[in-house]
Amino acid sequence: MNSDDLFLTRAIELARIGSEAGEGGPFGAVIVREGQIIAEGWNRVIASRDPTAHAEIGAIRTACIQLGHFHLPGCTLYASSEPCPMCLSAAYWAHIERIVFANSRAEAAAIGFCDDELYCQLNRHFTERSIIMEHRPLLGALAPLQSWVSNPSRIAY
């Protein structure tokens, strides 16, 4: 078994563990750097009552703590299923180098986890989304942005 299959098998095992414990859906994730697992996670949406407690998010948070940084260069995310839009976005924000997944989003959709509508919503202008969104530019709203960008000590991310 090659290393990708080994780490992916671990992500699948975590999906089984978490879902059998009733903590959330059947999703697991592992983050690897230089051939070593630095973080693991499984879906904990039900247990934590947190809709963002996906396996990938948990693993990313743990990996950042372990490495002491909000970026994860040189890391690979192994996920039991193709990451949803939120988790994929988090992987981009974390600068994860590579994602390897076992089950496609079509396979997850077949058991009730369909992300297609989310992908469609994200492609729409904010005025055309199913959640009502209103742009209200207030006087002074730009001040925090301008202050941040002019701060020479800011930490860009």
Side-chain angles (χ1 to χ4, degrees), residues 23-24 42-55 57-58 61 86:
E23 293 197 2
W42 59 71
N43 186 289
R44 299 197 73 248
V45 168
I46 294 168
S48 67
R49 296 174 188 88
D50 176 358
T52 69
H54 290 199
I57 299 293
R61 288 176 178 160
M86 176 183 67

Short mmCIF file of all heavy atoms in Angstrom, two decimals, residues 23-24 42-55 57-58 61 86:
data_model
loop_
_atom_site.label_atom_id
_atom_site.label_comp_id
_atom_site.label_asym_id
_atom_site.label_seq_id
_atom_site.Cartn_x
_atom_site.Cartn_y
_atom_site.Cartn_z
N GLU A 23 -21.40 11.12 16.43
CA GLU A 23 -20.94 12.50 16.56
C GLU A 23 -21.26 13.35 15.35
O GLU A 23 -21.27 14.58 15.43
CB GLU A 23 -19.45 12.53 16.88
CG GLU A 23 -19.16 11.94 18.25
CD GLU A 23 -17.79 12.30 18.78
OE1 GLU A 23 -17.03 13.03 18.12
OE2 GLU A 23 -17.49 11.85 19.90
N GLY A 24 -21.47 12.71 14.21
CA GLY A 24 -21.76 13.46 12.99
C GLY A 24 -21.80 12.53 11.80
O GLY A 24 -21.86 11.30 11.95
N TRP A 42 -12.77 14.12 12.60
CA TRP A 42 -13.95 13.53 12.01
C TRP A 42 -15.10 14.49 12.22
O TRP A 42 -15.01 15.43 13.02
CB TRP A 42 -14.25 12.14 12.56
CG TRP A 42 -14.49 12.02 14.03
CD1 TRP A 42 -15.58 12.46 14.74
CD2 TRP A 42 -13.62 11.42 14.98
NE1 TRP A 42 -15.43 12.16 16.07
CE2 TRP A 42 -14.23 11.51 16.24
CE3 TRP A 42 -12.38 10.80 14.89
CZ2 TRP A 42 -13.66 11.02 17.40
CZ3 TRP A 42 -11.81 10.30 16.04
CH2 TRP A 42 -12.44 10.41 17.27
N ASN A 43 -16.17 14.27 11.51
CA ASN A 43 -17.32 15.15 11.57
C ASN A 43 -17.91 15.11 12.98
O ASN A 43 -18.21 14.04 13.50
CB ASN A 43 -18.34 14.73 10.52
CG ASN A 43 -19.50 15.68 10.44
OD1 ASN A 43 -20.32 15.75 11.34
ND2 ASN A 43 -19.58 16.41 9.34
N ARG A 44 -18.07 16.30 13.58
CA ARG A 44 -18.62 16.42 14.94
C ARG A 44 -19.79 17.40 14.98
O ARG A 44 -20.07 18.02 16.00
CB ARG A 44 -17.53 16.88 15.91
CG ARG A 44 -16.35 15.89 15.97
CD ARG A 44 -15.48 16.09 17.19
NE ARG A 44 -16.19 15.63 18.37
CZ ARG A 44 -16.63 16.43 19.35
NH1 ARG A 44 -16.43 17.72 19.32
NH2 ARG A 44 -17.29 15.93 20.38
N VAL A 45 -20.48 17.54 13.85
CA VAL A 45 -21.59 18.49 13.76
C VAL A 45 -22.65 18.21 14.82
O VAL A 45 -23.13 19.12 15.50
CB VAL A 45 -22.20 18.48 12.34
CG1 VAL A 45 -23.51 19.22 12.28
CG2 VAL A 45 -21.20 19.08 11.34
N ILE A 46 -23.05 16.96 14.98
CA ILE A 46 -24.10 16.61 15.94
C ILE A 46 -23.59 16.75 17.37
O ILE A 46 -24.24 17.39 18.21
CB ILE A 46 -24.61 15.18 15.67
CG1 ILE A 46 -25.31 15.14 14.31
CG2 ILE A 46 -25.56 14.72 16.77
CD1 ILE A 46 -25.61 13.75 13.81
N ALA A 47 -22.44 16.20 17.66
CA ALA A 47 -21.90 16.22 19.03
C ALA A 47 -21.64 17.64 19.51
O ALA A 47 -21.86 17.96 20.69
CB ALA A 47 -20.63 15.40 19.11
N SER A 48 -21.17 18.50 18.64
CA SER A 48 -20.80 19.87 19.05
C SER A 48 -21.92 20.88 18.81
O SER A 48 -21.79 22.03 19.23
CB SER A 48 -19.55 20.31 18.29
OG SER A 48 -19.86 20.44 16.92
N ARG A 49 -22.97 20.44 18.12
CA ARG A 49 -24.06 21.35 17.73
C ARG A 49 -23.50 22.54 16.95
O ARG A 49 -23.92 23.68 17.12
CB ARG A 49 -24.84 21.82 18.96
CG ARG A 49 -25.55 20.71 19.68
CD ARG A 49 -26.21 21.21 20.96
NE ARG A 49 -26.73 20.10 21.74
CZ ARG A 49 -26.05 19.41 22.64
NH1 ARG A 49 -24.78 19.73 22.88
NH2 ARG A 49 -26.60 18.42 23.30
N ASP A 50 -22.55 22.24 16.09
CA ASP A 50 -21.85 23.27 15.31
C ASP A 50 -21.83 22.86 13.84
O ASP A 50 -21.17 21.88 13.49
CB ASP A 50 -20.42 23.40 15.85
CG ASP A 50 -19.55 24.38 15.07
OD1 ASP A 50 -20.01 24.97 14.06
OD2 ASP A 50 -18.39 24.56 15.47
N PRO A 51 -22.53 23.58 12.98
CA PRO A 51 -22.58 23.20 11.57
C PRO A 51 -21.23 23.31 10.85
O PRO A 51 -21.07 22.79 9.75
CB PRO A 51 -23.61 24.16 10.96
CG PRO A 51 -23.59 25.35 11.86
CD PRO A 51 -23.29 24.81 13.24
N THR A 52 -20.26 23.97 11.47
CA THR A 52 -18.93 24.07 10.86
C THR A 52 -17.96 23.00 11.35
O THR A 52 -16.80 22.99 10.95
CB THR A 52 -18.31 25.47 11.11
OG1 THR A 52 -17.99 25.60 12.50
CG2 THR A 52 -19.23 26.58 10.68
N ALA A 53 -18.41 22.10 12.19
CA ALA A 53 -17.52 21.09 12.80
C ALA A 53 -17.30 19.90 11.87
O ALA A 53 -17.47 18.75 12.24
CB ALA A 53 -18.07 20.64 14.14
N HIS A 54 -16.90 20.20 10.65
CA HIS A 54 -16.60 19.16 9.68
C HIS A 54 -15.22 18.58 9.96
O HIS A 54 -14.38 19.21 10.60
CB HIS A 54 -16.64 19.73 8.26
CG HIS A 54 -18.00 20.09 7.79
ND1 HIS A 54 -18.30 20.24 6.46
CD2 HIS A 54 -19.17 20.33 8.46
CE1 HIS A 54 -19.58 20.55 6.33
NE2 HIS A 54 -20.12 20.62 7.54
N ALA A 55 -14.99 17.38 9.47
CA ALA A 55 -13.72 16.68 9.69
C ALA A 55 -12.52 17.51 9.24
O ALA A 55 -11.52 17.64 9.96
CB ALA A 55 -13.74 15.33 8.97
N ILE A 57 -12.27 20.78 8.74
CA ILE A 57 -12.09 21.99 9.54
C ILE A 57 -11.39 21.64 10.85
O ILE A 57 -10.46 22.33 11.28
CB ILE A 57 -13.45 22.68 9.81
CG1 ILE A 57 -14.13 23.12 8.50
CG2 ILE A 57 -13.29 23.86 10.78
CD1 ILE A 57 -13.44 24.20 7.72
N GLY A 58 -11.85 20.57 11.51
CA GLY A 58 -11.22 20.14 12.76
C GLY A 58 -9.75 19.80 12.56
O GLY A 58 -8.90 20.18 13.37
N ARG A 61 -7.73 23.03 11.97
CA ARG A 61 -7.52 23.77 13.23
C ARG A 61 -6.43 23.11 14.08
O ARG A 61 -5.55 23.80 14.62
CB ARG A 61 -8.83 23.85 14.01
CG ARG A 61 -9.83 24.79 13.38
CD ARG A 61 -11.16 24.78 14.10
NE ARG A 61 -12.06 25.75 13.49
CZ ARG A 61 -13.37 25.71 13.63
NH1 ARG A 61 -13.94 24.78 14.36
NH2 ARG A 61 -14.11 26.63 13.04
N MET A 86 -17.24 24.78 2.08
CA MET A 86 -16.65 25.41 3.27
C MET A 86 -15.26 24.83 3.54
O MET A 86 -14.30 25.57 3.77
CB MET A 86 -17.55 25.19 4.49
CG MET A 86 -16.95 25.72 5.78
SD MET A 86 -17.98 25.39 7.23
CE MET A 86 -17.88 23.59 7.36
#
